[in-house]
Amino acid sequence: MCGIIGRVGTDEAIDTLLTGLENLEYRGYDSAGVAVQNGSGIKIQKQSGKVAELKQAIDSDLLSGEVGIGHTRWSTHGPPTDENAHPHTDSTRDVAVVHNGIIENYATLKSSLQELGHEFESDTDTEVIPHLIQYYLDEGASAETAFRRAIDDLEGSYAVAAMVANEHVLYAARQGSPLVVGLDDDGFFLASDVPAFLEYTDDVVYLEDGDVVVVRPDGVEFTTLEGHAIDRQPETVAWDPEQAGKGEYDHFMLKEIHEQPTSLAQAIEGRIQGDEPGEVALESFPPGAFDGIERIQFVACGTSYHAALYGSIAMNQCGIQTSAHLANEYGVSAPPVDENTLVIAVTQSGETADTLNAMRRAEADGARLLTVTNVVGSTAARLADDVLLIRAGPEIGVAATKTFSSQAVMLLLLAQCIIDDLDGTCEDRRALYNDLSGLPDTFSSILEDGTAKALAEQYLGAESYFFIGRGLGFPVALEGALKFKEITYEHAEGFASGELKHGPLALVTPETPVFAIFTGDEDEKVLNNAEEAQTRGAPLVAVCPAGHRAVDIADAHLDIPAVDPDLAGLLANVQLQLLSYHAADALGRPIDKPRNLAKSVTVE
Ligand code: F6R
């Protein structure tokens, strides 16, 4: 997820662009840049780091002009370096482009252009776009035609804004990534999201997939890719600029819970493919990449540990020898490590000190390191031999939500590559991968359900909240309890359902609601354990599909669609995220910044 801003007006563009980038920084913050023109070529300034650092470095006199574009980046292709920062240009520096999204066919386009003599300076997928525009300009096309042809060549998702030297025009296109036009008395804005320009105008036009816009100081043309005019009417947004980063949501956490269909689609994009439905292809891991690995150890903390446990259980169930370790305990409890050990660090931020220490210890013993993270160029990414990006986009709320689901899904995909290489026992997992492809839509259907809010209010004031599950339901029970205690400050615990009778049952009373997660795997046993608690007076909430036997027995039901057992826990987790959120909201807690906690824990 990156942020795009563009301005065509009658006044200097640079301050507007920088304000826009600051307002968009929640969409990405590992590098930033601007390009401005005033009839004497395009001037660009870009660098790794935050917008504030770019702002300090900028000499506004050099970047004088009324037309400009800017970008704040969340890396997907290539680390957050100055070279990879946007805007990107062609070799003549006559074309500048900013882009949000993923160009799936960039490798093919890049090698065709390289064969024609185009030289590239970055590792990004974006850089093919200015080169394509240049290619068509060289063929004699007008700037507008060159832009349209370049867009026509792209596959994937994108919001793109481009300018060509000495033209007082911006060209933009949208396919799968958001783009909005703002209209004020002195000109026009282009942006990934309304907050970018809300200080200046609240009159906007939301673009739709397939739209191409041509923005001049005296007007905007909305067209199809082929150039046919289309009707797009402006609307007025009723947003408070302060709130705008959260969009329509009261808290970043709720926004991020609702972003999961998108973040999951990004995690999966291009990774489930092949002739056979359900074939998995992960960058850097061709068939045989894991040959020789004899054991796998996961290291992680908190929510990321729950995702790691999820991955570990899924792999164990397919005959792969894995174990999941709390990174802070790894130093004292890790099983033997050697060069045939793969240690997988799961860390959203890539900066968690405990996880980094565990990685360094494993590395010292000769293990191969793989990091699953959301942050390109993070310390954990740099420490590892290989990196898998979960592509969830920035997560602002301290409580991890969308990164958990993306981590778990990435580990299921990784599991398939490992199972194939190490001859695991689950050979035909096509049904799972078909359900995985549909997961973004399945998540969307749960997000519309209001039952979690009603139950959060119904059980408010309980003495304690218990979450139970078995197999892949167990890490979800742990995660449900962690999220609940973290943001409500109420006592909550997660248990393997079979463990209740070995002690925790002593705590069960009519004041301790029990949330039981049914994944479709050994559900009868979970139901027996849940009923043991219900018999002692605990209100029982079944998290399962409608029509499940548990629904008739339980006191309440949180519905999830019926899917492959490997995925059901992730659906249950969405209901539990909503439950925690609404309970914390009803209690008036500072949900995005719970007391005593930090988003990135860089101390041991
Ligand atoms: C809880 C939460 C934390 C993190 C943990 C590890 O909602 O976010 O438990 O999961 O601090 O952080 P990362 O994933 O950055 O290593």
Side-chain angles (χ1 to χ4, degrees), residues 301-304 346-350 352 355 398-400 407 482-483 486 599 601:
C301 300
T303 290
S304 293
V346 184
T347 166
Q348 182 278 130
S349 64
T352 301
T355 307
V398 163
Q407 285 169 338
L482 175 63
K483 216 86 313 174
E486 183 181 14
K599 187 70 188 157
V601 187

Side-chain angles (χ1 to χ4, degrees), residues 1-2 25-29 74 256 259 348 374 392-396 402-403:
M1 197 160 88
C2 303
E25 211 168 15
Y26 71 92
R27 297 180 64 86
Y29 37 76
W74 182 261
E256 286 153 8
E259 278 172 356
Q348 182 278 130
N374 199 23
E395 191 174 64
I396 312 291
K402 62 176 179 171
T403 53

Side-chain angles (χ1 to χ4, degrees), residues 66 144 183 266 268 272-273 408 446 456 475-476 526:
E66 300 89 32
E144 183 175 334
L183 309 93
Q266 287 170 183
I268 294 166
I272 302 179
Q273 54 184 225
I446 300 175
V476 175
V526 179

Side-chain angles (χ1 to χ4, degrees), residues 169-323:
V169 187
L170 280 188
Y171 303 98
R174 176 200 154 128
Q175 183 65 48
S177 296
L179 201 56
V180 58
V181 176
L183 309 93
D184 78 353
D185 295 339
D186 304 317
F188 301 93
F189 300 88
L190 273 170
S192 304
D193 204 353
V194 177
F197 51 70
L198 208 50
E199 280 100 321
Y200 306 100
T201 181
D202 52 9
D203 289 330
V204 308
V205 178
Y206 290 98
L207 299 190
E208 291 180 17
D209 281 351
D211 287 3
V212 171
V213 289
V214 181
V215 190
R216 298 191 171 85
D218 56 354
V220 190
E221 286 167 39
F222 299 93
T223 67
T224 61
L225 180 58
E226 296 73 32
H228 304 302
I230 43 178
D231 187 24
R232 294 273 176 264
Q233 290 301 318
E235 50 191 284
T236 304
V237 289
W239 277 2
D240 164 3
E242 291 267 303
Q243 275 292 98
K246 299 174 194 148
E248 66 195 87
Y249 300 99
D250 290 339
H251 297 96
F252 279 108
M253 181 184 176
L254 189 59
K255 178 169 182 265
E256 286 153 8
I257 290 173
H258 281 263
E259 278 172 356
Q260 288 176 105
T262 307
S263 52
L264 287 177
Q266 287 170 183
I268 294 166
E269 189 166 5
R271 286 165 166 169
I272 302 179
Q273 54 184 225
D275 299 335
E276 283 291 305
E279 203 171 292
V280 172
L282 291 182
E283 60 275 17
S284 0
F285 300 115
F290 297 105
D291 283 355
I293 293 297
E294 287 171 6
R295 72 190 72 79
I296 295 172
Q297 295 168 5
F298 289 90
V299 291
C301 300
T303 290
S304 293
Y305 169 72
H306 300 151
L309 190 57
Y310 201 94
S312 172
I313 293 172
M315 290 188 201
N316 283 342
Q317 287 179 339
C318 288
I320 305 297
Q321 194 192 321
T322 73
S323 50

